Amino acid sequence: MLSMVLGAVGVQQCQSTLPWVTFYLFTNTYFLTSNIKNNIFSSYTVAQRKAHGSSFAHRSELRHAKRIVVKLGSAVVTRGDECGLALGRLASIVEQVAMLQNQGREMMIVTSGAVAFGKQRLRHEILLSQSVRQALHSGHNQLKDMSLPVLEARACAAAGQSGLMALYEAMFTQYSTCTAQVLVTNLDFHDDDKRQNLNSTLQELLRMNIVPIINTNDAVVPPPEPNSDLQGVNVISIKDNDSLAARLAVEMKADLLVALSDVEGLYNSPPGTDDAKLIDIFYPGDQQSITYGTKSRVGIGGMEAKVKAALWALQGGTSVVIANGTNPKVTGHVITDIVEGKKVGTFFSEIKPAGPTVEQQTEMARNSGRTLASLPPEQRSEIICQLAELLTERKEEILAANKLDMDLAVNTAMLKRLSLSPSKLNSLAIGLRQIAVAAQDSVGRVLRRTRVAHNLELEQITVPIGVLLVIFEARPDCLPQVSALAIASGNALLLKGGKEAANTNRVLHQLTQEALSIKPCTLQLTREEVEDLCRLDKMIDLIIPRGSSQLVRDIQRAAKGIPVMGHSEGICHVYLDADASIDKVIKIVRDSKCDYPAACNAMETLLIHRDILRTPLFDQIIDMLRTERVKIHAGPRFASYLTFSPSEAKSLRTEYGDLECCMEVVDSMQEAVDHIHKYGSSHTDVIVTENEDTAEQFLQQLDSACVFWNASSRFADGYRFGLGAEVGISTARIHARGPVGLEGLLTTKWVLRGDGHTAADFSEHGTMKYLHESLPVGQPLNTN
């Protein structure tokens, strides 16, 4: 989903010698290797690992699983009343297993449910077997209150097994998938001959593309041994379906065991308790950090039994994921999500990373950001000035790294975005110094002061948003800009740069580290760990994507509960009014379209007043666009005026991002406004006219983040606005709009200073009255 952003990546974690600052830059470490080579390499190493009987090391490798065992716990298969099956859940699970089977994978199911299904049938039979006379003589109330006898589990299993299998067969038949029933007991694993026979049977079924459905033969098994644990590879007690699934997975050399239960996965303490956290990846040896809770509402295995079974299977070379199979929001795709490598449930891995997890790093960033925000403004300003100096002092090093990226660029548009020059670095340094000045009066600035009552004063002050995740494509100048803005605003910062600018980003990041007096270390991350950043809604406060509209849309879809600030498209309009100046029109249209056509603030649609058609001005516009090699697409009305028109625009809502634009005709300024509201993206729109009244109406009526009169759309930029730099341009209706600089990275909090005041003091019978007097704002609040 985020192929242009996520990939095989590394993270450089910056830990300060002064322990109050932490900055992170996520960069692509495999930028010299094509995606095809990466996939071949990945498949090769996975095949090697499986050939040596090792489990998968990372979630992303699970997509290579060929043989998969799906274990359905009792809580997954049975209804809440423990009498009968949860048919909806079972149907969605069957659909997923059949889908994976039809992809060429070998699927096996270890299922519960025979006892519950049999209990339902036997209860029904007992009620029906009541004689008519007994029912008549019992009376209505006695019959209603009549209790059924306690049903023995083995009898229920005997009565329910055939019905359970008939149900599975009927469901799988809908997907042209054949099933086979296999009932086992402990002896089938502990007796060598029986174990070999079982293995041969299952192998033959898989070879014939049949899904084996395995269950313990509960009609004949003895009661479970409460203290029998998994002991080594050759000794295992099939006391529950967790143990059975683990034993079967190892015996059949399965690549993956998916154990579905009624919990999201493994927690470090019982789910529902304070501070209980879902464990994403669990490693052997981590058992001491777990506090287990009670068992499931049904079945005989609890989470401790599941963990022991999972670790036993992991030791035997099978990867394991424990996940929730009862959540209606995810049941329909939980198995396929796991196989696709998505972060679902708890993944058991034998390989523990050397450094902290993404969650731990983000938590460290939050704590460090809070300390950064408490620094004196002068100190934050000094850091930014130091970074500005480094940009000019080390420009040769930066430009050399930039040339490496430029040499690897695949198209002209990318070259434009990647390119750095001495003049561009000087502009960056100037912008950073502007930010350094603004940093003197940013965090802790008093916006409002109110005397609520005598000795009760209220202040509204600026504070950082918290932790920012900024994801940008091939724009290396973004890195120092965003870093400076984060420092000035006291925000912790997570940066993800595009692989196209890997060399330049690396050098710029090193300079940022120098300015912060930071010593870096390196930690390798997997694909899903980077994607997980977009899900850390309790740790990351704002995501800012800078790049193509596709990038923004991908990030908006991936973000789980985290606000995303940005614009999905930059469909900018320039409207040429009937009273437009010839000289201004030519300059503004050329600059808006041709200066940097890949930018989000470049003109994409040129709206022309009907009176301009067939005039010298119109001819000059066409000649200029032809000279600049701009391809013109005609809107429907414009095409109707021409005998030989350019190619008709496929859509009036198109962001070309190149030397192309749409031209359309309107009858008035009001029609231009209506057109922009219908087809625009609320980014930046321009009117060119000498009529001041027309211009003011356009500026007032148009609902876009940036609205200009007789000026190029390219002015929609943080540096050009005097903000020093920008983290992006927002078309959102809340928080910040247009180029977002330092102010857009701040929020507020309310500070109330009293002297023992209570709300009761201001009640009808209280002794105090509200004053609500506005006070002078005065100087910034001292945050130290």
Side-chain angles (χ1 to χ4, degrees), residues 175-230:
Y175 303 97
S176 302
T177 302
C178 187
T179 61
Q181 174 181 266
V182 180
L183 296 177
V184 298
T185 64
N186 253 325
L187 192 60
D188 293 308
F189 289 98
H190 289 208
D191 181 279
D192 287 340
D193 291 336
K194 291 181 177 294
R195 184 170 60 86
Q196 184 59 45
N197 290 339
L198 174 62
N199 189 300
S200 298
T201 299
L202 292 174
Q203 294 286 4
E204 183 65 12
L205 292 173
L206 294 175
R207 187 186 68 80
M208 293 188 294
N209 201 34
I210 295 174
V211 176
I213 299 179
I214 305 106
N215 195 3
T216 52
N217 193 350
D218 292 325
V220 298
V221 295
E225 303 172 34
N227 297 317
S228 60
D229 294 325
L230 308 177

Side-chain angles (χ1 to χ4, degrees), residues 227-289:
N227 297 317
S228 60
D229 294 325
L230 308 177
Q231 301 170 0
V233 175
N234 296 318
V235 180
I236 181 171
S237 172
I238 308 300
K239 63 176 184 174
D240 54 54
N241 274 348
D242 296 307
S243 304
L244 169 59
R247 184 68 178 93
L248 184 73
V250 172
E251 176 68 29
M252 297 300 296
K253 294 183 172 56
D255 302 312
L256 172 63
L257 167 60
V258 177
L260 298 182
S261 183
D262 58 351
V263 292
E264 304 299 325
L266 177 60
Y267 287 78
N268 60 352
S269 57
T273 60
D274 292 340
D275 299 325
K277 292 183 179 179
L278 179 66
I279 299 174
D280 174 28
I281 306 177
F282 189 75
Y283 307 96
D286 284 354
Q287 296 96 314
Q288 301 302 319
S289 63

Side-chain angles (χ1 to χ4, degrees), residues 547-577:
S548 67
S549 58
Q550 185 62 48
L551 166 66
V552 178
R553 285 193 294 267
D554 287 340
I555 296 301
Q556 288 172 334
R557 282 194 294 265
K560 305 299 182 182
I562 307 175
V564 177
M565 184 170 68
H567 61 278
S568 58
E569 292 174 307
I571 304 176
C572 303
H573 295 73
V574 173
Y575 165 57
L576 307 183
D577 186 57

